[in-house]
Structures are given as C-alpha cells and as structure tokens.
Amino acid sequence: MNAPASSSADILRAALAGLLDGLPPKSATRAVERLIANYRGRTPTDAPVLRDRSDVVAYAAYRMPATFEAVCSALEAFAAAVPGWAPGSHVDVGGGTGAATWAVSATWEGGRPVTVLDWAEPALALGREIAAANPELQAAAWQRSRIGSALTIESADLVTISYVLGELTDADRTAVVDAATAAAQAVVIIEPGTPDGYARVIEARARLVAAGFHVAAPCPHSAACPIVPGEDWCHFSARVSRSSLHRQVKGGSLAYEDEKFSYVAATRFLPDPAPSRVVRKPQIRKGQVLLDLCAAEPALTRTTVTKRHGLRYKAARDAEWGDAWPSAGDADAL
C-alpha cells in the first residue's frame, strides 16, 4: 500500500486551492451552482458542460475531493479482497480532472502507466496540470475520447469508471461497461449513492458477472443482490473535509460532509471477498451492537453482538459502515 490516502488528499487540496487563487470567489460560487444544476443532468456526450478553464477549476475544487474520497473508500475494500495484487496499468474512463487516478496512486504504491479518457478537453488540461503535484501521475496520458458506443480501451490491469454512467444514454452505458470488461483484469465502478446510482451499479454488476468476472467488493458473493428493487438500495459513505468553496456554496459551519456512493469492484481472477459486509451504520446500544450485514449466502441479515461475545463485541463497537465483518468462527480476523 501507499502512504495514507489522507496525505494524497492534502496534496490534492493544496493543488486545488492554488488554482482558486486567481478566480474571484463570487465567480467560483456562481460557476459551481450552475454546474451542480446541469452537470449530472441529461447532457449529451458531444456537448460537455465543462466549457472552459473557469468552469473546470470551480467544479474540480468543489467535486474532486469528494470523488477522491469515495473512490479511495471503494478501492480500500477492493484491495483487501485482492491481497498481493496491484494494478500494473490503469485506465480511467471519463476521468475528467483525474480524481480516480489520484485515488489509485494513493491505494497502491509504485508508478504505473495511467491513461485518463474524457471528452472535455478543458478538464483533461486541468487534470494534467494538477497531476504535476503528484510524482506518480506526472507521466499519465490525458486523452480526449468520446465516452460512448465508439469507445475503445487498450488492455489494462485496472479500469475505473467513476461518476460517469449517469451522464450516458442506456446504449452508451452498456457499451462503456462492455468495453471495460473486454479490456481489463479488474473493473471498479462508482456512482452516486442514490437509488438511481445504485440501479446503474447493479446493472453494470450483472454485465460484469455475465462476462465471467467475480465480484470482489462490496458484495461477499457474485450472486444476485438480495435487495428487493424499489424497497432499498446499497450505498456507503466517505467523509470529506469541506473547503472554503464548499462553505460558500452550501453555507453552514461544519468542517466536513459525507459523500454517499454506490460501487462494484470485480475481477477476472478469483478474489477473496469479505465473509460479510456492514451495509448500514452500526447501532450501538447499552451492552450491544446491531449490525446490518450482507452475507455470502447471499442474504441481508441483522446480527446482535453483546458483551458476552468478548473480542467480537469490541470489534463490533469499532466497526464502521462499509467494513468487512468476519464469520462467526474466524477469531483471527478480529
């Protein structure tokens, strides 16, 4: 593993803050408000919303830290399921300013060939500029490419697709996922932690499994998701430090916010997924902890861990939403 993701996050935030120095605060706020309203809408891939440098600077400063933390969280769970494996090459589809490339370099040590594909040339240019602060990304290739049915991806150990599928038509979404499965040894897809984002992840997950991939995270299995469609959705949370721009746009005084996301990580080779995973915030009560788990059966279960469970109770009190949870007989994992 690399240095803690927090170190990379600090470097990234410093680089983004430097970019904002030349942009009037009111202009940045207006740009972010407009982009929030439009960027995740029904924008066709031949008309990028990020039109110029000021758009891209504002959006990157506002969204990159949250995307980085969400992808880091997904990659941490994925890396735990593939111990001893590290990607020798990485392609980031629809990577924009490169948040996922920063997350990959924070997760696995050592440099690797990196290619970022995106339609918006201003985003690619800014991503290249920001990457100068990260020694492992200085040689990355930033390529303009239409993200859709005509997409081709060169063979790579890892392909990431983060916060992209929601911008595509149904046909283009299918084509992009299929292009990734054809090119990669491992695919990680991250979407917003909304019912719609989860639905896109589940759709992509089914295509990955049908193509012969094995789910490594977050699911403990590659069978169908046990969640009943329309009744609930699987998502997780990553804490993000708020910048001054965040506070300007959203108001309030909290120094952080929680980024909700859904994801799937799958591999051509056999991973070692968690026996089960905590899929809701643990409920800590007097003398007991209630854990909502997705298990390998597959099934959704609620487990009550009490003081009489000893080390298991201590582990339950320390458990967080999204963590792996060991099987009942696996004392070594506690």
Side-chain angles (χ1 to χ4, degrees):
M1 289 288 188
N2 240 356
S6 58
S7 300
S8 294
D10 290 342
I11 296 170
L12 178 58
R13 277 193 294 269
L16 293 171
L19 293 171
L20 282 172
D21 285 345
L23 196 63
K26 289 184 179 179
S27 297
T29 300
R30 285 195 299 269
V32 169
E33 288 172 342
R34 180 177 63 79
L35 293 167
I36 289 172
N38 295 313
Y39 191 71
R40 298 302 174 190
R42 299 175 180 175
T43 305
T45 54
D46 60 351
V49 173
L50 300 180
R51 303 171 304 185
D52 54 31
R53 180 180 172 84
S54 62
D55 272 1
V56 177
V57 167
Y59 189 77
Y62 186 79
R63 278 299 304 167
M64 266 191 87
T67 301
F68 169 82
E69 294 293 353
V71 179
C72 277
S73 184
L75 292 178
E76 181 182 2
F78 172 47
V82 289
W85 181 86
S89 55
H90 173 214
V91 173
D92 188 19
V93 176
T97 53
T101 66
W102 282 75
V104 169
S105 73
T107 304
W108 289 284
E109 65 182 5
R112 61 187 55 83
V114 176
T115 302
V116 183
L117 304 176
D118 200 90
W119 171 242
E121 181 59 41
L124 293 167
L126 189 73
R128 188 183 300 112
E129 183 178 338
I130 297 169
N134 186 333
E136 293 185 359
L137 296 179
Q138 291 174 3
W142 302 79
Q143 296 180 5
R144 192 177 188 198
S145 176
R146 188 184 299 276
I147 309 302
S149 58
L151 178 68
T152 57
I153 304 173
E154 293 187 8
S155 295
D157 284 346
L158 173 64
V159 171
T160 54
I161 309 171
S162 60
Y163 293 85
V164 173
L165 298 183
E167 301 169 18
L168 306 178
T169 64
D170 291 347
D172 283 348
R173 189 158 56 238
T174 296
V176 167
V177 173
D178 288 350
T181 60
Q185 292 298 307
V187 176
V188 179
I189 296 172
I190 303 98
E191 283 287 296
T194 63
D196 286 346
Y198 161 73
R200 291 189 292 269
V201 167
I202 284 298
E203 178 185 23
R205 180 187 185 278
R207 298 196 72 82
L208 287 163
V209 172
F213 278 65
H214 309 276
V215 177
C219 321
H221 57 82
S222 297
C225 178
I227 292 175
V228 177
E231 292 188 3
D232 202 353
W233 71 98
C234 182
H235 65 293
F236 303 93
S237 181
R239 181 142 293 183
V240 186
S241 296
R242 272 182 164 178
S243 66
S244 59
L245 179 58
H246 279 86
R247 291 191 287 272
Q248 288 172 33
V249 173
K250 287 195 170 182
S253 57
L254 283 177
Y256 63 87
E257 64 181 16
D258 292 324
E259 173 73 7
K260 305 295 174 56
F261 65 97
S262 295
Y263 77 99
V264 63
T267 58
R268 287 193 177 277
F269 52 91
L270 283 173
D272 184 19
S276 58
R277 190 169 302 279
V278 181
V279 292
R280 289 289 181 271
K281 185 176 180 179
Q283 299 180 42
I284 300 178
R285 300 178 180 175
K286 186 177 181 180
Q288 62 181 17
V289 181
L290 276 59
L291 298 177
D292 290 306
L293 303 173
C294 181
E297 280 69 21
L300 295 174
T301 63
R302 170 166 286 187
T303 297
T304 300
V305 185
T306 65
K307 284 185 175 180
R308 67 182 178 82
H309 290 104
L311 289 176
R312 202 167 181 82
Y313 173 70
K314 183 179 183 302
R317 287 186 60 87
D318 292 338
E320 297 182 355
W321 183 10
D323 283 355
W325 183 250
S327 58
D330 191 359
D332 292 338
L334 296 176

